[in-house]
Amino acid sequence: MKYVDEFRDREKAEALIREITAVVREIDSARHRPLNIMEVCGGHTHSIFRYGLEGMLPKEIELIHGPGCPVCVLPMGRVDDCVAIAERPEVIFTTFGDAMRVPGSRKSLMQAKAEGADVRMVYSPLDALALARRHPDREVVFFALGFETTMPSTALTVLQAEAEGIGNFTLFCNHITIVPTIKAILDSPDLQLDGFLGPGHVSMVTGTAPYQFIARHYGRPLVVAGFEPLDILHGIWMVLKQIRDGRAEVENQYARIVPDAGNAAALAAVGRVYELREFFEWRGLGSIDHSGVRLREAYARFDAERRFAIPNVTIADPSSCQCGEVLKGVIKPWQCKMFGTDCNPETPLGALMVSSEGACAAHYQYGGIQRQRGVA
């Protein structure tokens, strides 16, 4: 654990906080609002609350929790599509565990399983492919979900299925891409962002080049950061230094993991198997052009959307649920009127309370419920 402990050193964290405070004091004192820094990735959100980083920062810094949790931005209609496929008697529907409790308009996959649907939790798409080998008389569907982080593994699984000539395996593809989403956020009139912590996991695949438009066209700094406390504090310090110096650049704090050029083999597999959709629906953010992918025509036989009839209906979130405003950073999780009462980890109304990387779940788990109730 030595390697991990080095990134959780209390004295070094306190030294970084002092450096951050000093830089903040050097930034324009005439500002009339906080410095808004968005952490795009749900993994960052989870770490920020797990280690209490938000409370250590100067009050002039406001962390905005972005839409970087793929489970959280899954629209209700797509959950309904999952359930419709899973309830077919010939189907074994496979998924990662955190997606099983995401509410649809009628039920979740967990509830469908309780009612008799053959829904199974797996740890990788290869587990689903193994099920297809063992059950040639059944249709095995894998719920493909996630940003560029998980796209390569599902793409390589499709290529493996093709190489083996497996005909009873398909993907229900809900992979999404991060760059169009950041652009949509920057174009939103609701937000005034001063900089970004870039996603570490996604960047392991994509590299840092895709973010250059943020600096060039929007004049905002972005620092790709890791997930340990010192990574995040160091990333915030790097963003602040750019703001102080009047710079807008893409920098890589997570260079020990993220190559600037990305992972060529992973990108090649993704490019071979997937193509961009014209648009994709996001929970709370609406339809965003070219923000999702689908299987190319050459791999259409592995596409669950083409093999099975699905409702494919857009379903609005319940009016009481404020997931969309939280996802866009307009309100904090604890400011949602349902937070910690009707919506909690045991009975989530919205997806943000389901996933461990969801902003609401992180707030609830690490003390946000006390803040909502006015407890110091």
Side-chain angles (χ1 to χ4, degrees), residues 314-376:
T314 298
I315 307 290
D317 285 336
S319 58
S320 59
C321 185
Q322 294 180 275
C323 277
E325 291 164 85
V326 176
L327 276 170
K328 290 187 290 188
V330 176
I331 64 171
K332 295 288 189 181
W334 53 271
Q335 293 174 316
C336 173
K337 54 183 177 289
M338 308 306 291
F339 178 83
T341 54
D342 290 351
C343 186
N344 60 69
E346 294 298 320
T347 55
L349 288 180
L352 290 175
M353 191 60 90
V354 174
S355 168
S356 63
E357 293 189 352
C360 294
H363 266 271
Y364 190 98
Q365 184 175 359
Y366 297 111
I369 183 64
Q370 295 177 348
R371 190 170 184 178
Q372 192 229 18
R373 290 171 177 166
V375 178

Side-chain angles (χ1 to χ4, degrees), residues 46-363:
H46 184 85
S47 291
I48 285 166
F49 289 104
R50 178 181 179 184
Y51 296 106
L53 302 182
E54 193 171 41
M56 299 170 67
L57 294 171
K59 60 179 174 45
E60 291 87 353
I61 298 175
E62 186 81 26
L63 295 180
I64 308 295
H65 314 305
C69 169
V71 172
C72 300
V73 296
L74 188 69
M76 194 170 278
R78 297 297 280 186
V79 179
D80 286 355
D81 293 341
C82 288
V83 171
I85 297 172
E87 288 181 332
R88 296 178 69 96
E90 74 274 26
V91 165
I92 300 174
F93 194 90
T94 62
T95 177
F96 296 133
D98 56 354
M100 292 186 71
R101 295 195 307 129
V102 180
S105 67
R106 296 184 299 119
K107 64 185 77 170
S108 66
L109 284 168
M110 184 74 82
Q111 291 167 315
K113 178 180 175 67
E115 293 173 3
D118 194 348
V119 179
R120 306 189 190 187
M121 188 182 75
V122 294
Y123 293 99
S124 81
L126 287 174
D127 292 343
L129 187 60
L131 277 172
R133 292 191 197 99
R134 292 201 299 271
H135 299 279
D137 57 330
R138 305 284 301 278
E139 292 286 343
V140 177
V141 181
F142 178 70
F143 185 14
L145 184 66
F147 290 94
E148 286 87 345
T149 316
T150 54
M151 277 187 210
S153 63
T154 52
L156 290 167
T157 303
V158 168
L159 295 175
Q160 182 69 30
E162 180 189 44
E164 295 183 30
I166 294 177
N168 64 327
F169 173 78
T170 53
L171 296 181
F172 181 51
C173 184
N174 289 268
H175 284 306
I176 46 182
T177 64
I178 196 68
V179 167
T181 315
I182 297 177
K183 184 176 186 304
I185 289 170
L186 282 164
D187 288 335
S188 171
D190 298 333
L191 291 177
Q192 293 179 305
L193 298 176
D194 298 292
F196 291 89
L197 282 184
H201 292 149
V202 166
S203 305
M204 287 190 298
V205 175
T206 65
T208 59
Y211 309 122
Q212 291 294 340
F213 78 98
I214 297 171
R216 290 174 182 167
H217 301 304
Y218 290 91
R220 302 289 191 277
L222 180 144
V223 175
V224 174
F227 297 91
E228 293 297 330
L230 294 189
D231 286 323
I232 294 171
L233 292 175
H234 190 210
I236 291 171
W237 176 70
M238 292 169 71
V239 170
L240 292 171
K241 282 208 306 175
Q242 289 198 43
I243 295 172
R244 180 198 63 186
D245 299 342
R247 294 181 290 122
E249 301 171 6
V250 175
E251 296 180 322
N252 186 4
Q253 184 277 336
Y254 206 26
R256 68 183 187 279
I257 298 294
V258 174
D260 284 336
N263 184 318
L267 289 172
V270 168
R272 181 176 172 184
V273 172
Y274 299 115
E275 63 183 5
L276 288 173
R277 296 176 188 260
E278 290 185 9
F279 57 86
F280 195 79
E281 188 77 18
W282 293 57
R283 176 168 290 193
L285 300 177
S287 179
I288 301 177
D289 293 349
H290 305 124
S291 63
V293 300
R294 63 187 174 197
L295 290 159
R296 292 185 181 277
E297 188 64 32
Y299 301 97
R301 62 188 181 282
F302 299 107
D303 189 344
E305 287 184 79
R306 304 189 205 202
R307 185 169 299 192
F308 306 103
I310 59 174
N312 195 25
V313 175
T314 298
I315 307 290
D317 285 336
S319 58
S320 59
C321 185
Q322 294 180 275
C323 277
E325 291 164 85
V326 176
L327 276 170
K328 290 187 290 188
V330 176
I331 64 171
K332 295 288 189 181
W334 53 271
Q335 293 174 316
C336 173
K337 54 183 177 289
M338 308 306 291
F339 178 83
T341 54
D342 290 351
C343 186
N344 60 69
E346 294 298 320
T347 55
L349 288 180
L352 290 175
M353 191 60 90
V354 174
S355 168
S356 63
E357 293 189 352
C360 294
H363 266 271

